[in-house]
Amino acid sequence: MSKLGNIGARLYRGEVGYDFIGKRKIWYGISILITITAIVGLAVRGLNMGIEFSGGAVFTTPATSVSASEAQHKAESAAGGHQAVVQKLGDGALRIQISGLDTKQAVPVQEELAKDLSIPVKDVNTQLVGPSWGEQIANKAWLGLGIFMVLVVIYLAIAFEWRMALAALIALVHDLTITVGVYALVGFEVTPGTVIGLLTILGYSLYDTVVVFDSLKEASKDITKQTRFTYSEIANRSINSTLVRSINTTVVALLPVAGLLFVGGGVLGAGMLNDISLALFVGLAAGAYSSIFIATPLVADFKNAEPEMKALAKRIKAKRAAAAAKGASQEEPQDAAPGGADTDEEEDAAVVGPRRQPPSRPRGRGRSSGKRR
């Protein structure tokens, strides 16, 4: 068995483990810090909305030796100050997006671009996007997100319980906030591909969370009938038993997404791949983190507030205190007798096993083992 498989087996059996629940305040603090950073980035920089949402024109040129930065400068000059986003495609062609252009403005810009780039006007492909279409896409995205959240809460409340449903919902909002904040900080353009990526990561994040919740549900069945483990301890064992599985699933999912982001988007210059892959990459990492460090600890906090769990924790604490006191009292007879001398009786008391019996009395009266003289 591999080393990782051996560790996973020991985690599953509870032989080793990490106290995720006990250190949950640390994870809450890290998540709050990351979330605040994402919200500040979103408030300060805002989202770079693509022309699919803001409206504008997209110009596609044939292969050219003009660099992307030089083409951006010329495009903004030709568009009269409108912001331009230029991407160098894999075959050397340029994709120039200019927001805020209407039909009348697009034709002069097309001619000016063709002149500046030394390309025939007929070879510059122009595509116009109205802002109303982008507004419809945004509304449908919000509607789809809302329906998804409602269905998730209903399903988890039926399959598990409402506390787990609430914790999963908080984890999903946590993942979405971080992903959108990273988009704002990095400055990537928000396109329909971004919306697809955001909706996709919700499924991945929910998958990891449900795996841990299912293990927790089985382990905590009839929990109040025993006095060995508290709910927090069982929740911690559930996280540890599924930890290697969650890590393997996340790594396997992140590898192809990383290929899309760094190879497809960075090397080949594929614009749509950037939009989808960044959302997937950040969302998958945030989802794996939230399912382990946020969702299950939240469930433990919710459950520990119940009177039954408080009473169970009190009984377990009292039982462990009594066991500790009993163990301490059993160790006291092993100490040396006063004066430093050890008697035979003290040595017998320290030995586990049957005590030494006194010698038996003779059977017959007046009999002895020797003859009288």
Side-chain angles (χ1 to χ4, degrees):
M1 182 183 293
S2 63
K3 186 176 181 180
L4 183 60
N6 186 30
I7 294 175
R10 296 182 65 190
L11 286 170
Y12 182 80
R13 293 192 298 265
E15 297 175 1
V16 295
Y18 182 78
D19 191 8
F20 292 98
I21 305 299
K23 296 179 173 58
R24 62 189 181 278
K25 292 183 179 180
I26 298 177
W27 319 130
Y28 291 165
I30 293 174
S31 293
I32 292 173
L33 180 62
I34 296 175
T35 303
I36 292 176
T37 303
I39 294 175
V40 170
L42 184 62
V44 174
R45 300 195 59 175
L47 291 174
N48 182 20
M49 305 301 293
I51 63 172
E52 292 87 356
F53 297 101
S54 60
V58 179
F59 304 95
T60 305
T61 70
T64 177
S65 60
V66 179
S67 64
S69 58
E70 184 180 357
Q72 180 180 3
H73 177 72
K74 292 181 178 181
E76 292 178 350
S77 177
H82 287 275
Q83 184 179 5
V85 177
V86 181
Q87 293 177 331
K88 192 82 169 181
L89 304 181
D91 57 354
L94 293 175
R95 186 174 185 268
I96 304 172
Q97 301 180 23
I98 302 178
S99 302
L101 293 183
D102 54 21
T103 305
K104 295 180 180 180
Q105 295 173 321
V107 175
V109 172
Q110 179 186 10
E111 296 175 351
E112 189 68 22
L113 281 174
K115 180 181 178 181
D116 293 340
L117 300 176
S118 301
I119 299 172
V121 177
K122 61 183 181 62
D123 292 340
V124 179
N125 184 26
T126 303
Q127 180 182 3
L128 293 175
V129 179
S132 59
W133 184 82
E135 185 178 355
Q136 293 177 3
I137 292 296
N139 292 335
K140 290 180 180 180
W142 283 112
L143 179 61
L145 179 62
I147 294 175
F148 177 84
M149 292 291 192
V150 172
L151 292 178
V152 164
V153 171
I154 293 175
Y155 169 75
L156 292 179
I158 295 175
F160 299 101
E161 58 173 301
W162 68 266
R163 297 169 188 81
M164 292 185 176
L166 179 59
L169 181 62
I170 294 174
L172 290 177
V173 174
H174 166 271
D175 300 340
L176 285 175
T177 304
I178 292 177
T179 306
V180 174
V182 170
Y183 254 86
L185 293 172
V186 174
F188 269 31
E189 191 177 31
V190 178
T191 65
T194 305
V195 178
I196 295 172
L198 289 175
L199 294 177
T200 304
I201 64 174
L202 297 179
Y204 280 103
S205 175
L206 188 63
Y207 171 78
D208 280 340
T209 303
V210 168
V211 168
V212 182
F213 283 179
D214 185 66
S215 175
L216 178 57
K217 178 183 177 182
E218 291 296 325
S220 61
K221 187 177 181 180
D222 297 330
I223 184 176
T224 56
K225 297 180 180 179
Q226 54 84 43
T227 55
R228 293 185 61 192
F229 304 108
T230 65
Y231 191 90
S232 294
E233 292 169 345
I234 292 179
N236 197 67
R237 290 168 64 92
S238 299
I239 296 176
N240 282 280
S241 65
T242 58
L243 181 61
V244 174
R245 177 180 178 179
S246 299
I247 293 175
N248 289 337
T249 304
T250 304
V251 171
V252 170
L254 282 177
L255 287 177
V257 174
L260 288 175
L261 178 60
F262 300 109
V263 178
V267 178
L268 300 180
M272 184 62 73
L273 290 180
N274 275 337
D275 304 332
I276 298 177
S277 58
L278 179 63
L280 289 176
F281 189 85
V282 177
L284 286 174
Y289 173 84
S290 64
S291 63
I292 297 173
F293 297 96
I294 302 300
T296 308
L298 280 176
V299 173
D301 283 338
F302 294 156
K303 293 290 291 185
N304 288 332
E306 296 181 352
E308 296 85 357
M309 297 304 159
K310 290 182 179 179
L312 175 63
K314 188 175 180 180
R315 293 198 305 269
I316 293 175
K317 184 178 180 180
K319 180 180 178 181
R320 291 176 180 175
K326 183 179 179 181
S329 63
Q330 290 178 349
E331 293 177 357
E332 291 178 359
Q334 298 180 7
D335 296 337
D342 293 335
T343 63
D344 293 339
E345 290 77 4
E346 290 169 344
E347 292 177 357
D348 292 339
V351 177
V352 178
R355 294 178 177 271
R356 188 168 52 190
Q357 300 295 331
S360 59
R361 298 179 58 184
R363 292 183 181 179
R365 180 178 296 178
R367 290 184 179 182
S368 62
S369 57
K371 296 181 180 181
R372 294 183 179 179
R373 290 184 178 180

